[in-house]
Amino acid sequence: MTKNKKWIILFLLPGILLFSFVFLGPIAVLFGTSVTDWSIGKDISFVGLKNFTYLFTEDKTFMDGLKNTIVWIFLQATFHVLIGTTVAIVLAKKKWYSSAIRTIYFIPNVISSAALGMLFLCVMNPQYGLVNSLITKITGEGFIQNWFMDPKSAFFAVTMTWLPYAGLVTVLVMAEMSSVSEDVYEAAKIDGASSFQTDIYVILPLMKNIIGTSVVLASTSMLQKLDIIMMTTNGGPGSRTMNMPMYLYKTVFTSNDYGLANAQGVLLVILGMIVLKSIRKMFNMDAKE
Amino acid sequence: MKKSLSKAIVLLLALTMVMSLTACGNKADKDTSTSNAGGKTEETSSEPVEISYATFMVGAHTSAAAEAEVISAFNKKYEGKYKVVVEELPSDNAFVDKMKVLASSKTLPDVLIGKNGIRELAIDNGQAVNIKPFLDEDAEWMKFVGEDAMNYNMEEDGSVYSVSNQRQNIGYFYNKEMFEKAGVTPAKTWDEFMSNNAKLKKAGFTPLALMTGENAWTTNLWLAAMIGTDGAEGNAFMNTSYPTNYSNSSVIKALEMIQTCLKEYTTPDAVGALYANAANNFEQGNVAMIANGPWMCPDFTDETKSIPGFGDKVGVALYPEDGLVSQFEVGYILCTNGKSKEEQKGALEFLKFKTGEYAQSVFLEKAGVLPLTDNVKLSDEYKAANPILTDLINLSGSAKYTFQNIDNTAFTAIVDETAVRYPELAYDEITPKEFADKLTKVAEQSKK
């Protein structure tokens, strides 16, 4: 037992050390400097909770970013996972097209976000974009809509660059479904359940854990979303598509205000922890087997 | 037996990992510290001193060819002594962002362009070198930099942290054929300008190549011109560094005109478009006017960018009220504080080369970049081959109002704010007054 402990410590040590240097250290610095006034070339001075107060009481852009981030987390946790799970259930029927569709559906997950951003800029271009051209073709009337820049459609357009493409969720759920014993399907069949009823009342409950994991992955991805927003709208028009990572980035690179940016970083970490804890609780993921 | 085998494997793996990491670490050291030729180890002194340099003038950038030629000429001239190691960044924005990251860790390259607040960060972090003493002691270099360019970059305490790389005279280019068909000539007043836009539109042409993405360059040039020609007050505003009050009548009036232009007189993709979109629209003969500098001139005769014969169709004009953006670029900074003497010397030599007579001539010939002083002469052959640039130089003498552009005078956050607010202005979600107030708020915040 003692020998085992030694080995456990030996194997864990490199990981723990790396984690401490790469994550814990910077996180400690992040929390420490979030209560300071800090920018390049100026001495750091302690300002207490001033940065946080400013963000919540005076900074409308931050509040818009916070609101958008929460809405996007909700949409990812619900619609995105729902779409991915539905596609997985359909593809699990192993029809002739399943393999091809699964591969095609996964494509947005393997393309770099920057390339994907450029792709959507072209597809939704008001002058020659595919979307406007298709609508023009269908309606027979010239249709011009600046999807990313019209304040009325910007949020929707940006959301559409990631919400429907749930390839990762599909792959995860399909992998879990493949581990369900054939006996379960047979038992359901003997009990007179239709294919649809089997999926809804038998298979789906068995997928609870992987769906919970997918919800965690999909939601937390919204806490890191930056590149596509930067490529398409840069957070605009105004702050309609601003989110927390984007605003943090701007606070550092356009305002050179590291203290304020780190206060946002702290709030981002806290939001992440709240999201994670809520989802784990919702799916009862912390309960012992 | 089994246990000792496991132990041996673990030890072996750990040893391999440590050795590979050590080898990785040592390789770089060896490469830079010694070289082994024929079994004899030589000291690094025989290796050329490497000067790190970052640039965005690569790929399809209008100055890419000139940039490559100047760097290559320097490396050839100082072969064996100095070598410029270039880090290429694909766009202005990528360059600015990367350099700001490097500034925060005090690892800026030895020489780089200090635009969009990079120079200020380099001064603040202690990397930037005061170049004034070197300018004072080198009369030949100073002759081609010129007093005006030096004074432009001079701090209140008399130090100079950057050497300009170009003089900018920026008016606007227009499609003569479209103007003729619409029966208009370059406007003398802003009322005439708006009336010209209406006439061009009526004749079936899109008047303006605007863009509000990136730094909203072409749109902000028009905005600067509208403000800078609005009497003495507007002109003073556009010649003020880092103004904090945008809520004045000149700015609001200009934003009203920009709002009309965005709504009525530009392409459907202008709101949110990149510079490339606007340039492409003009060079493909889809749009009648674009505000931009003379570095665009070589593109007009480049058939990979413009339609055949386009160069003959382009004219250049001052802004209404005889306005002209006339300024020096922030230029190059030297970030060698704390470096070895050899590196400092090499980087300074490169800076001199990059801003000296040869580089200015190459940039003029290949990229249409105006030299800093009249000491770099424009030959008659050059003038004949570049009529648009020559016209602009001639016109610049008759400018009544000269002013700077927003990129040069405003905080970086202001430029960013204009880019995200223009869509709101174009879609009537915000009034020009509210737009100006938001700029004021951002400027006040930036000043802190």
Side-chain angles (χ1 to χ4, degrees), chain B residues 128-141:
Chain B
V129 174
N130 178 11
I131 304 159
K132 180 74 170 43
F134 305 117
L135 282 163
D136 289 343
E137 71 189 20
D138 191 335
E140 182 62 15
W141 183 29

Side-chain angles (χ1 to χ4, degrees), chain A residues 7 11 40-42 54 58 125-127 144 146 149-152 234 236-238 240 249-250 253-254 256 258, chain B residues 7 10 97 100-101 103-104 121 124-125 268-269 271-272 412-413 416 420-421 423-424 427 429 441 445 448:
Chain A
W7 282 112
F11 277 106
I40 294 176
K42 287 176 188 155
Y54 172 78
E58 291 179 55
N125 183 285
Q127 214 165 354
I144 291 177
N146 196 335
M149 288 298 144
D150 185 335
K152 289 185 181 71
N234 205 21
R240 279 172 181 77
Y249 177 88
K250 283 194 174 195
F253 291 111
T254 58
N256 180 30
Y258 285 70
Chain B
K7 270 186 189 176
V10 167
D97 286 353
K100 286 187 174 178
V101 173
S104 64
L121 291 177
D124 287 344
N125 78 5
D269 67 346
V271 180
T412 315
D416 193 60
V420 293
R421 295 293 171 194
E424 289 188 312
Y427 286 95
E429 295 276 327
K441 200 178 168 197
Q445 186 61 31
K448 285 177 192 171

Side-chain angles (χ1 to χ4, degrees), chain A residues 152-202:
Chain A
K152 289 185 181 71
S153 61
F155 187 86
F156 169 77
V158 170
T159 307
M160 281 300 118
T161 63
W162 61 67
L163 192 75
Y165 317 110
L168 185 64
V169 178
T170 300
V171 168
L172 287 174
V173 175
M174 281 183 82
E176 185 80 353
M177 285 176 84
S178 66
S179 67
V180 175
S181 165
E182 278 300 314
D183 299 348
V184 176
Y185 288 98
E186 273 177 34
K189 206 172 176 182
I190 290 164
D191 286 344
S194 67
S195 173
F196 178 74
Q197 284 170 324
T198 309
D199 288 337
I200 300 297
Y201 299 115
V202 181

Side-chain angles (χ1 to χ4, degrees), chain B residues 292-309:
Chain B
N292 206 2
W295 54 85
M296 198 182 189
C297 293
D299 285 4
F300 301 147
T301 47
D302 180 351
E303 291 192 4
T304 61
K305 292 178 177 172
S306 301
I307 48 174

Side-chain angles (χ1 to χ4, degrees), chain B residues 339-394:
Chain B
K339 296 271 178 87
S340 73
K341 277 198 172 166
E342 275 303 302
E343 280 174 297
Q344 289 187 5
K345 222 171 136 188
L348 177 64
E349 211 56 54
F350 180 57
L351 177 73
K352 286 182 180 179
F353 193 83
K354 202 77 182 65
T355 52
E357 183 188 11
Y358 174 76
Q360 287 186 41
S361 306
V362 171
F363 270 79
L364 172 65
E365 296 276 342
K366 298 219 152 164
V369 169
L370 292 178
L372 297 172
T373 65
D374 293 336
N375 292 323
V376 175
K377 300 280 181 217
L378 277 73
S379 65
D380 290 340
E381 295 83 41
Y382 181 80
K383 285 179 182 171
N386 297 277
I388 306 169
L389 188 70
T390 311
D391 284 351
L392 178 65
I393 293 167
N394 293 336

